[in-house]
Amino acid sequence: MSPAELKRAAAARAVALVEDGMRLGLGTGSTAALFVALLGERVRAGLTVVGVPTSEATRMAAEAAGIPLTTLDATPDLDLTIDGADEIDPELRLIKGGGGALLREKIVAAASRRMVVIVDGAKRVETLGRFPLPIEVVPFGLVATTLAVAAAIRSAGCAGPLAVRKGADGTPFVTDGGHFILDAGLGRIPDPEALARALVAVPGVVEHGLFLGLATGAIVAEAADGQPRIV
Ligand code: 5RP
């Protein structure tokens, strides 16, 4: 089975968690986009929900799917957020931000009573770090901030290259919040909590892609005999 089929199976299972009247956080990325499309089908069939999108891309997709939207300011207490992830470990710790939406994704997840992660089985790891860790930074003082981030990474027992994420045109990728992203290729993060503490202490770091203690559940779709199996 292709990753896309597995992502769709996870998204379909997540849609079944949605109940009438729920206030939802809507994640970002290809898996979350499948969830939004399937949720739209239920909304058009009569389900009443309201959603807070975690990116402009998701806002547009949700609008196109007919899902009523609100803002986190108007609805600061959400029932359930459904979002994808780039990596998930056995303690439901995540790396997110491959799509560049980590800041809004983390704010929305923190405002939700439950956050359920939808992934295909390839995202499961024993130790986080194979996927480059996204770190969102303000453009001002980029070189100084990058040096300080590198020192913070070393202080947490990690090592690896840091690169400013670039768009297709070769210029820095700009997030919905107007920031840049540093991708840290660490390979292995032995102590995610220590790294998270070190990163937030760096002036210029807006947020990082370690989601620790936020996910309350996960729907992982793996292939078994050609069929998706949810674990
Ligand atoms: C966006 C994210 C995504 O959830 C993550 O990158 C996974 O994306 P996909 O479902 O396309 O594999 O964190 O910032």
Side-chain angles (χ1 to χ4, degrees):
M1 298 190 71
S2 71
E5 288 171 307
L6 294 172
K7 287 177 179 186
R8 193 171 196 288
R13 181 64 70 94
V15 169
L17 298 178
V18 178
E19 295 168 14
D20 212 45
M22 274 187 164
R23 299 155 297 178
L24 299 172
L26 305 174
T28 295
S30 59
T31 321
L34 291 166
F35 170 79
V36 166
L38 293 170
L39 180 66
E41 288 176 13
R42 282 195 65 195
V43 167
R44 292 194 294 282
L47 180 78
T48 304
V49 293
V50 66
V52 173
T54 54
S55 64
E56 291 307 305
T58 296
R59 183 179 59 74
M60 286 188 279
E63 282 174 355
I67 300 169
L69 297 180
T70 184
T71 64
L72 201 54
D73 290 329
T75 311
D77 185 11
L78 302 175
D79 299 299
L80 174 67
T81 286
I82 303 288
D83 203 348
D86 300 298
E87 275 187 0
I88 180 167
D89 82 359
E91 295 176 50
L92 299 185
R93 296 181 293 192
L94 315 173
I95 287 182
K96 284 185 53 56
L102 64 139
L103 176 58
R104 293 188 190 182
E105 287 172 333
K106 195 177 278 190
I107 293 170
V108 168
S112 301
R113 290 172 192 187
R114 293 162 64 204
M115 177 201 193
V116 174
V117 180
I118 49 175
V119 289
D120 66 90
K123 306 280 186 68
R124 264 207 306 199
V125 296
E126 278 304 309
T127 305
L128 296 176
R130 193 176 61 199
F131 190 91
L133 178 67
I135 302 161
E136 186 158 345
V137 299
V138 295
F140 178 84
L142 181 62
V143 173
T145 301
T146 304
L147 290 170
V149 165
I153 285 171
R154 283 195 299 275
S155 78
C158 300
L162 264 179
V164 179
R165 189 180 297 183
K166 299 278 174 56
D169 61 0
T171 62
F173 172 88
V174 180
T175 69
D176 283 343
H179 307 127
F180 292 168
I181 288 185
L182 299 174
D183 286 308
L186 305 177
R188 204 170 167 277
I189 302 174
D191 187 344
E193 283 76 14
L195 180 57
R197 283 193 300 273
L199 289 173
V200 295
V202 176
V205 169
V206 179
E207 196 46 85
H208 55 78
L210 287 167
F211 282 49
L212 310 176
L214 287 171
T216 56
I219 298 173
V220 181
E222 290 182 337
D225 302 326
Q227 295 298 318
R229 187 184 58 176
I230 306 295
V231 295

